[in-house]
Amino acid sequence: MSKTTSYLLKNRVLLWLGILCGMSLLVGALSFAYEVHSAKTSVERYVGIWEDDIARAKIFQGDPSLQNKILKQLKEVHAAVGTTEVQNPEQLQCAFSTDVPITYNSLPSGSMRVCFSALDLVLRSFLSPVFMVGILLSFFFIGFAVRREFLTRLHEQKLEAELALNKEIASISRQVAHDIRGPLMALTTLSRLSHEMSSEKKELLNLAVSRIGGIAEDLLNKGKKQEKTTTTEERKADDLSLVTETLLKEYRFSHPDVTFTLHKHIKSSEVPIALEAIKVQRILSNLLNNSLEALPASEAAINLTLLERDEHWLLQIMDNGSGIPEDVLPKLMQEGFTHGKENGHGLGLYDAKKTLESIGGELQLRSRWGVGTQVVLLFPKNRETEAQIS
């Protein structure tokens, strides 16, 4: 733990201890005030019962024995009662007292002063229900506040850790993108010099080289501080239909045992979307790889369908694989969650979902165990990109 963190933690502990002490003093003061009020009320109620007898003793007899008797009984009424005076109440001085008016036949005949012991009041206030409940509530609110602050601090630490991890990933991405340029240049040279390679293989090699180059550039862009600013190249509209067809050429060559089909139900020859080709290729590659891992050994098929709606372009990817259990399906698009893969990282579907949502799109996932899986990608139509690509 750093010195700054230790210092801040110490200050927070002292602050909460100070708040707890302050609340305890406040609760104690309220409890003490309640006990003073309770003592006065008890004395006034009791004196009211003996009011006529006290008045007669004062006016006609001046008998101190009755006063002593009342004092003794008052102590039984409330333990904090100290001394009392009827004949000359103004001569009795004390910090906490109450003056009870005395009447005889509804005529005023003086007053009676009762003093209370401050020590007894303090002791009783600490044992009163008001103090106990107040202290419990104070601990509850302090505990709630500390827990909330702890969770906030924990969330801040998590964000700091994620930020540090993102910086590290960005640094690694820049290094990978830099290092990949060497073999990429060799592949580019090989594709130009190879005369024995068929035109189809050359095309596939060029496509692969182009994809690797795009990945390298994308990694470099992610590592830059200005990655949140959309560049001119990123604003360029790409053709979803062309990107899909190009990618399928690679997959048909790499997986000859799998039947890949693409059906188009669109009016226009091009499908402009506000997402650069490299990101669309990454999304489709992740989804196609997921389907390939779930396909049966024979009659394996992946069908893609491109549809047009009023506000969206739809790309459906369907396979006849093993499917996904119903209890697993809702969790699959969560970051870090994977199913049925020994080396899976739970990033493919999550990345696809976040990328589509960043442009106002959506990813839908449907599956039946033992039947297959359907993924629907919704790309919002953008009139500016349509005009741009046309």
Side-chain angles (χ1 to χ4, degrees), residues 291 307 314-319 322-326 329-330 332-333 349 362-369 371-378:
S291 294
L307 303 168
L314 275 70
L315 179 61
Q316 296 180 353
I317 303 175
M318 299 181 63
D319 64 60
S322 57
I324 303 168
E326 291 185 4
L329 195 61
L332 274 181
M333 285 186 284
L349 282 172
E362 186 181 352
L363 187 148
Q364 300 175 357
L365 184 63
R366 305 181 184 92
S367 184
R368 289 185 63 184
W369 180 249
V371 177
T373 300
Q374 179 192 52
V375 182
V376 180
L377 308 178
L378 282 79

Side-chain angles (χ1 to χ4, degrees), residues 19 117 126 131 155 162 167 204 228 283 300 302 347 361 375:
I19 293 175
S117 169
F126 284 145
F131 182 77
H155 181 64
E162 289 179 354
K167 289 182 178 179
L204 291 174
K228 291 185 179 180
I283 292 174
I302 298 178
L347 297 177
V375 182

Side-chain angles (χ1 to χ4, degrees), residues 80-310:
V81 173
T83 56
T84 184
E85 178 60 42
V86 178
Q87 301 297 334
N88 300 299
E90 64 277 357
Q91 295 180 359
L92 186 60
Q93 301 296 326
C94 50
F96 301 98
S97 64
T98 182
D99 291 329
V100 184
I102 302 298
T103 60
Y104 183 71
N105 291 332
S106 300
L107 297 175
S109 58
S111 63
M112 176 180 181
R113 176 168 292 180
V114 179
C115 290
F116 302 104
S117 169
L119 179 60
D120 287 334
L121 286 173
V122 170
L123 292 176
R124 286 182 64 86
S125 65
F126 284 145
L127 299 175
S128 71
V130 174
F131 182 77
M132 297 297 182
V133 173
I135 289 296
L136 288 176
L137 289 176
S138 299
F139 274 106
F140 173 78
F141 285 118
I142 291 292
F144 178 79
V146 170
R147 179 180 178 274
R148 184 175 181 181
E149 183 175 355
F150 172 77
L151 292 177
T152 302
R153 181 56 186 162
L154 193 65
H155 181 64
E156 291 175 354
Q157 291 178 348
K158 182 180 179 181
L159 292 179
E160 292 173 359
E162 289 179 354
L163 179 61
L165 179 60
N166 289 337
K167 289 182 178 179
E168 184 178 357
I169 291 175
S171 177
I172 295 174
S173 298
R174 289 194 298 271
Q175 187 63 44
V176 170
H178 178 271
D179 294 344
I180 207 174
R181 289 186 171 185
L184 180 61
M185 182 61 67
L187 287 173
T188 303
T189 305
L190 177 63
S191 66
R192 292 173 181 173
L193 297 179
S194 179
H195 301 291
E196 298 179 357
M197 188 180 297
S198 65
S199 59
E200 182 182 4
K201 291 182 179 180
K202 279 187 177 182
E203 182 184 3
L204 291 174
L205 180 58
N206 288 330
L207 290 174
V209 169
S210 177
R211 282 188 63 198
I212 296 173
I215 293 171
E217 289 299 324
D218 189 49
L219 289 174
L220 283 174
N221 290 332
K222 284 186 177 180
K224 293 179 181 178
K225 293 182 180 179
Q226 298 86 1
E227 61 176 327
K228 291 185 179 180
T229 304
T230 305
T231 64
T232 304
E233 184 179 356
E234 288 177 333
R235 293 193 192 102
K236 181 181 66 176
D238 280 303
D239 184 0
L240 177 60
S241 177
L242 179 60
V243 172
T244 305
E245 288 178 347
T246 303
L247 188 63
L248 284 180
K249 288 182 180 180
E250 294 184 33
Y251 275 84
R252 288 191 180 106
F253 181 80
S254 303
H255 304 277
D257 297 334
V258 179
T259 302
F260 293 90
T261 58
L262 175 61
H263 303 282
K264 297 182 182 180
H265 301 282
I266 54 177
K267 298 177 182 178
S268 57
S269 59
E270 296 178 331
V271 182
I273 56 173
L275 195 63
E276 55 270 31
I278 184 63
K279 292 186 177 180
V280 179
Q281 289 173 349
R282 184 170 65 240
I283 292 174
L284 296 181
S285 293
N286 286 328
L287 297 176
L288 291 174
N289 291 337
N290 288 343
S291 294
L292 288 171
E293 293 184 7
L295 290 176
S298 61
E299 298 183 358
I302 298 178
N303 298 314
L304 290 82
T305 305
L306 191 55
L307 303 168
E308 182 177 2
R309 295 292 183 265
D310 292 337

Side-chain angles (χ1 to χ4, degrees), residues 308-346:
E308 182 177 2
R309 295 292 183 265
D310 292 337
E311 301 295 331
H312 294 86
W313 301 104
L314 275 70
L315 179 61
Q316 296 180 353
I317 303 175
M318 299 181 63
D319 64 60
N320 61 342
S322 57
I324 303 168
E326 291 185 4
D327 58 327
V328 175
L329 195 61
K331 306 175 185 177
L332 274 181
M333 285 186 284
Q334 298 177 7
E335 185 178 11
F337 185 86
T338 184
H339 172 70
K341 296 182 182 180
E342 294 183 0
N343 299 317
H345 298 90

Side-chain angles (χ1 to χ4, degrees), residues 9-41:
L9 180 60
K10 182 179 179 181
N11 283 349
R12 300 305 294 178
V13 171
L14 292 176
L15 174 63
W16 287 116
L17 286 176
I19 293 175
L20 181 60
C21 291
M23 293 185 70
S24 299
L25 290 174
L26 177 61
V27 171
L30 292 175
S31 178
F32 184 80
Y34 171 78
E35 284 301 319
V36 171
H37 174 74
S38 177
K40 290 181 178 181
T41 302

